[in-house]
PDB file of all heavy atoms in Angstrom:
ATOM      1  N   VAL A 269     156.227  18.139 125.075  1.00 97.00           N
ATOM      2  CA  VAL A 269     156.255  17.461 123.775  1.00 97.00           C
ATOM      3  C   VAL A 269     157.233  18.077 122.759  1.00 97.00           C
ATOM      4  O   VAL A 269     158.152  17.385 122.308  1.00 97.00           O
ATOM      5  CB  VAL A 269     154.832  17.311 123.197  1.00 97.00           C
ATOM      6  CG1 VAL A 269     154.879  16.681 121.804  1.00 97.00           C
ATOM      7  CG2 VAL A 269     153.990  16.443 124.137  1.00 97.00           C
ATOM      8  N   PRO A 270     157.083  19.365 122.375  1.00 96.00           N
ATOM      9  CA  PRO A 270     157.977  19.839 121.313  1.00 96.00           C
ATOM     10  C   PRO A 270     159.431  19.937 121.764  1.00 96.00           C
ATOM     11  O   PRO A 270     160.323  20.173 120.949  1.00 96.00           O
ATOM     12  CB  PRO A 270     157.429  21.229 120.963  1.00 96.00           C
ATOM     13  CG  PRO A 270     156.596  21.639 122.108  1.00 96.00           C
ATOM     14  CD  PRO A 270     156.176  20.409 122.851  1.00 96.00           C
ATOM     15  N   ASN A 271     159.666  19.760 123.045  1.00 96.00           N
ATOM     16  CA  ASN A 271     161.033  19.840 123.561  1.00 96.00           C
ATOM     17  C   ASN A 271     161.522  18.442 123.957  1.00 96.00           C
ATOM     18  O   ASN A 271     162.147  17.750 123.167  1.00 96.00           O
ATOM     19  CB  ASN A 271     161.084  20.836 124.724  1.00 96.00           C
ATOM     20  CG  ASN A 271     159.740  20.854 125.472  1.00 96.00           C
ATOM     21  OD1 ASN A 271     159.348  19.869 126.069  1.00 96.00           O
ATOM     22  ND2 ASN A 271     159.023  21.964 125.379  1.00 96.00           N
ATOM     23  N   HIS A 272     161.193  18.022 125.198  1.00 97.00           N
ATOM     24  CA  HIS A 272     161.794  16.784 125.711  1.00 97.00           C
ATOM     25  C   HIS A 272     161.444  15.547 124.869  1.00 97.00           C
ATOM     26  O   HIS A 272     162.316  14.772 124.494  1.00 97.00           O
ATOM     27  CB  HIS A 272     161.355  16.532 127.151  1.00 97.00           C
ATOM     28  CG  HIS A 272     161.651  17.666 128.081  1.00 97.00           C
ATOM     29  ND1 HIS A 272     162.740  18.483 127.928  1.00 97.00           N
ATOM     30  CD2 HIS A 272     161.003  18.134 129.176  1.00 97.00           C
ATOM     31  CE1 HIS A 272     162.758  19.382 128.894  1.00 97.00           C
ATOM     32  NE2 HIS A 272     161.704  19.201 129.655  1.00 97.00           N
ATOM     33  N   LEU A 273     160.149  15.350 124.610  1.00 98.00           N
ATOM     34  CA  LEU A 273     159.788  14.129 123.886  1.00 98.00           C
ATOM     35  C   LEU A 273     160.303  14.166 122.449  1.00 98.00           C
ATOM     36  O   LEU A 273     160.707  13.148 121.892  1.00 98.00           O
ATOM     37  CB  LEU A 273     158.273  13.901 123.923  1.00 98.00           C
ATOM     38  CG  LEU A 273     157.737  13.416 125.265  1.00 98.00           C
ATOM     39  CD1 LEU A 273     156.244  13.121 125.196  1.00 98.00           C
ATOM     40  CD2 LEU A 273     158.454  12.151 125.709  1.00 98.00           C
ATOM     41  N   PHE A 274     160.294  15.354 121.852  1.00 97.00           N
ATOM     42  CA  PHE A 274     160.815  15.440 120.482  1.00 97.00           C
ATOM     43  C   PHE A 274     162.328  15.210 120.455  1.00 97.00           C
ATOM     44  O   PHE A 274     162.872  14.728 119.461  1.00 97.00           O
ATOM     45  CB  PHE A 274     160.473  16.794 119.858  1.00 97.00           C
ATOM     46  CG  PHE A 274     159.118  16.806 119.184  1.00 97.00           C
ATOM     47  CD1 PHE A 274     158.131  15.898 119.526  1.00 97.00           C
ATOM     48  CD2 PHE A 274     158.829  17.733 118.183  1.00 97.00           C
ATOM     49  CE1 PHE A 274     156.884  15.902 118.907  1.00 97.00           C
ATOM     50  CE2 PHE A 274     157.595  17.760 117.550  1.00 97.00           C
ATOM     51  CZ  PHE A 274     156.625  16.844 117.908  1.00 97.00           C
ATOM     52  N   GLN A 275     163.022  15.559 121.516  1.00 96.00           N
ATOM     53  CA  GLN A 275     164.460  15.272 121.529  1.00 96.00           C
ATOM     54  C   GLN A 275     164.688  13.761 121.566  1.00 96.00           C
ATOM     55  O   GLN A 275     165.566  13.254 120.879  1.00 96.00           O
ATOM     56  CB  GLN A 275     165.143  15.947 122.722  1.00 96.00           C
ATOM     57  CG  GLN A 275     165.264  17.454 122.587  1.00 96.00           C
ATOM     58  CD  GLN A 275     165.892  17.867 121.265  1.00 96.00           C
ATOM     59  OE1 GLN A 275     166.856  17.255 120.800  1.00 96.00           O
ATOM     60  NE2 GLN A 275     165.336  18.885 120.635  1.00 96.00           N
ATOM     61  N   LEU A 276     163.861  13.071 122.341  1.00 97.00           N
ATOM     62  CA  LEU A 276     163.955  11.605 122.347  1.00 97.00           C
ATOM     63  C   LEU A 276     163.611  11.054 120.967  1.00 97.00           C
ATOM     64  O   LEU A 276     164.291  10.170 120.439  1.00 97.00           O
ATOM     65  CB  LEU A 276     162.945  11.018 123.338  1.00 97.00           C
ATOM     66  CG  LEU A 276     163.311  10.964 124.805  1.00 97.00           C
ATOM     67  CD1 LEU A 276     162.204  10.254 125.584  1.00 97.00           C
ATOM     68  CD2 LEU A 276     164.609  10.189 124.962  1.00 97.00           C
ATOM     69  N   LEU A 277     162.551  11.604 120.412  1.00 98.00           N
ATOM     70  CA  LEU A 277     162.126  11.181 119.075  1.00 98.00           C
ATOM     71  C   LEU A 277     163.270  11.362 118.070  1.00 98.00           C
ATOM     72  O   LEU A 277     163.539  10.482 117.248  1.00 98.00           O
ATOM     73  CB  LEU A 277     160.907  12.027 118.660  1.00 98.00           C
ATOM     74  CG  LEU A 277     160.385  11.812 117.253  1.00 98.00           C
ATOM     75  CD1 LEU A 277     159.691  10.455 117.167  1.00 98.00           C
ATOM     76  CD2 LEU A 277     159.386  12.920 116.852  1.00 98.00           C
TER      77      LEU A 277
END
Side-chain angles (χ1 to χ4, degrees):
V269 177
N271 31 65
H272 304 328
L273 286 184
F274 273 22
Q275 288 308 318
L276 278 184
L277 175 72

